[in-house]
Amino acid sequence: MTKLSTICYIDNGSQLLLLLRNKKENDYHWGKYISVGGKFEPGETPEECAIREIKEETGLTATKLDLRGFISFPNFQHDGEDWYSFVYRVTDFEGKVNFDSDEGTLYWVDYDQVFEKPTWQGDYIYLDWVLDRSIDYFSAKFVYDEAGQLQTYSVDFNK
């Protein structure tokens, strides 16, 4: 089976809004700082999903989405499903952040500290691509083993 999702990095010009997953029992992302985003609901476009997930998880309204790339994660959560994710950078938004999300706790993290936070190995790799303005678009695949360790990845760039 296939899951469609969004990965949304909210950027205020010097910091990224990251979600520390620390609320749900048996959370596969527990203890990791990740972007906001999530699974598509029936009938949604990628943009509709991103806007809805950002609002639900942060309280912010995204007014412009910058599609940075697309990532596939074969059998990512070891549930027999492949995940396909649209990756956005969001620099235009309105509202006030609700730092205590149902998913975890939100933090504004300075660019130079983002790579010090615990997260998935692949996130450290593709976050560089999200932030690099010389890259117009990327398409990548990240393969993790059952222990959650990155085994391999591949990428194509449109510069």
Side-chain angles (χ1 to χ4, degrees), residues 9-148:
Y9 286 100
I10 301 169
D11 184 340
N12 70 9
S14 63
Q15 302 167 309
L16 296 178
L17 187 61
L18 297 179
L19 178 64
L20 172 58
R21 295 290 289 258
N22 60 2
K23 295 265 178 99
K24 294 182 177 179
E25 289 185 38
N26 303 316
D27 184 350
Y28 193 69
H29 300 287
W30 180 265
K32 293 180 172 39
Y33 285 78
I34 63 172
S35 72
V36 298
K39 296 183 287 269
F40 282 41
E41 290 185 354
E44 281 186 320
T45 67
E47 294 78 14
E48 290 168 338
C49 177
I51 290 168
R52 177 185 52 76
E53 287 285 351
I54 290 167
K55 184 69 171 179
E56 287 176 2
E57 294 182 8
T58 71
L60 297 173
T61 300
T63 56
K64 182 177 180 243
L65 301 171
D66 179 17
L67 180 61
R68 302 297 296 133
F70 185 78
I71 302 175
S72 62
F73 299 97
N75 195 29
F76 179 62
Q77 294 182 332
H78 315 295
D79 55 9
E81 298 179 327
D82 294 340
W83 287 70
Y84 296 92
S85 299
F86 293 82
V87 183
Y88 292 96
R89 182 176 183 180
V90 180
T91 56
D92 295 329
F93 50 88
E94 299 172 346
K96 184 177 176 184
V97 176
N98 174 13
F99 288 97
D100 191 27
S101 165
D102 290 342
E103 303 284 331
T105 307
L106 290 160
Y107 296 95
W108 284 112
V109 180
D110 293 338
Y111 290 159
D112 64 351
Q113 295 179 12
V114 167
F115 296 96
E116 297 174 16
K117 300 295 184 190
T119 194
W120 296 102
Q121 293 168 286
D123 288 24
Y124 294 123
I125 297 167
Y126 70 76
L127 187 52
D128 268 337
W129 308 335
V130 170
L131 296 173
D132 186 344
R133 289 296 188 185
S134 70
I135 298 170
D136 291 332
Y137 183 83
F138 65 87
S139 179
K141 177 169 87 171
F142 286 84
V143 179
Y144 287 85
D145 66 16
E146 291 184 14

